[in-house]
Amino acid sequence: MDGNRRWAKQFGMPAALGHANGARRVRSIVQACADRGVRFITLFAFSTENWQRPPAEVSALMGLLALYLQKEVKDMNAKGVRFKVVGDTSGFDARIQALIRDAQANTAHNTTITLTIAANYGGRQDMVQAVKAWQAAHPDQSVDALDEASLNAHLGLAYAPDPDLLIRTGGESRISNFMLWQLAYTELFFTDVLWPSFSASHLTQALTWYATRDRRFGNSTPAAEPFAHMAL
C-alpha cells in the first residue's frame, strides 16, 4: 500500500495525514474484495525496515495502528472479517500488543474474509524464524529433513493459501521484502495510483488484468485454480 506520503505532499499535508487517509482506504477495499469473493487479503502495513523512518513518523504510524485496532473491530465483526497480524509483534508496546490479541480473539470465528496485517514484518525475517521454529519442533533431526511443506507450516501465513495476486500501488515495481516465500508464483500488478486514491474501480482493473493471465505453475497447461488470496 504505497504512496501515502506522496499523496499527502500533493495536497500540502503532513505525512501523518497521508497515512491516516491510507488507513481509511482499507475498509472499502476489504469490503470490495469480500464482495468479489476474495477469501484472504494481506496488507503490508509496516516493515521491519520502517523503523528507520523519522521518529515522528514512526510514532504517528504506531498511533494510527492503535486507533485502527480500537475502531475497526466492531465493523469487522459485523461484516464477518477475521483479523490476523503477522510479523514480530513483540516489537510494539504493550498496549498495541494487547489490542492485537483482543482483535484477533474477537474476530476468530468470522469466515467471510480473512484480513491479515503484516506489521513489523519482513519476508527474510519470516523465513529465518520459520527455520528456527522447525528446528525447535524437531530438536533431534538434521536440517536435511526440512522440506518445503515443513517450512511452510512454520511461516507467519501458514493458515492462508499463497497469494494469487499482488497489487503494489504508488508506481514502484519491486516486492520490497514482502512475502518472499509465498510470492513464488503470484501474479504481480503494479499501478501508479497512490494508495489513498486506490478505489474499488482500480481493484476491478487489477482483477480484470489478472483474468487475462495463464497461470501454469511450471506446467505446460494453465491451472484451473480459484482466486482466493490478494496481497497489497
Side-chain angles (χ1 to χ4, degrees):
M1 303 180 292
D2 202 15
N4 291 339
R5 290 184 295 176
R6 281 172 285 159
W7 184 90
K9 186 176 181 180
Q10 285 182 354
F11 294 96
M13 300 176 181
L17 287 180
H19 292 306
N21 278 277
R24 280 193 284 271
R25 180 61 58 186
V26 169
R27 181 188 289 191
S28 63
I29 296 301
V30 172
Q31 183 61 55
C33 285
D35 291 343
R36 289 158 174 78
V38 178
R39 300 299 305 278
F40 295 85
I41 179 170
T42 300
L43 306 179
F44 201 5
F46 192 84
S47 75
T48 51
E49 293 80 22
N50 285 158
W51 294 108
Q52 302 172 37
R53 291 188 176 184
E57 184 177 355
V58 171
S59 178
L61 286 167
M62 293 299 103
L64 189 59
L65 176 59
L67 184 63
Y68 182 85
L69 291 166
Q70 289 175 297
K71 291 181 62 176
E72 295 296 323
V73 172
K74 184 177 181 180
D75 183 70
M76 285 191 280
N77 262 329
K79 295 179 177 178
V81 178
R82 179 175 67 149
F83 180 78
K84 302 279 285 183
V85 174
V86 293
D88 182 10
T89 58
S90 68
F92 300 125
D93 66 36
R95 176 169 170 260
I96 291 178
Q97 291 183 51
L99 287 169
I100 289 172
R101 287 193 299 270
D102 290 346
Q104 292 186 130
N106 291 334
T107 63
H109 62 285
N110 293 331
T111 59
T112 299
I113 188 171
T114 295
L115 165 61
T116 299
I117 300 294
N120 198 20
Y121 172 90
R124 291 177 175 177
Q125 171 205 57
D126 192 22
M127 287 188 279
V128 169
Q129 72 81 27
V131 172
K132 291 180 177 178
W134 179 87
Q135 188 66 80
H138 304 85
D140 299 326
Q141 293 189 35
S142 164
V143 73
D144 291 337
L146 178 62
D147 58 18
E148 290 186 14
S150 299
L151 180 65
N152 192 69
H154 292 282
L155 292 167
L157 277 147
Y159 55 85
D162 289 345
D164 301 289
L165 175 64
L166 167 73
I167 300 174
R168 179 158 186 171
T169 62
E172 303 293 352
S173 300
R174 58 178 180 268
I175 297 174
S176 296
N177 199 20
F178 186 36
M179 299 175 73
L180 298 179
W181 175 275
Q182 297 90 343
L183 293 178
Y185 279 100
T186 299
E187 301 296 326
L188 310 179
F189 183 86
F190 302 106
T191 174
D192 291 334
V193 177
L194 304 178
W195 172 247
S197 298
F198 190 81
S199 66
S201 64
H202 295 118
L203 177 68
T204 297
Q205 290 173 13
L207 291 173
T208 300
W209 172 86
Y210 173 85
T212 69
R213 306 296 297 159
D214 279 342
R215 306 196 70 207
R216 299 177 183 272
F217 300 92
N219 296 318
S220 59
T221 56
E225 289 285 326
F227 188 100
H229 189 174
M230 178 184 297
L232 276 151

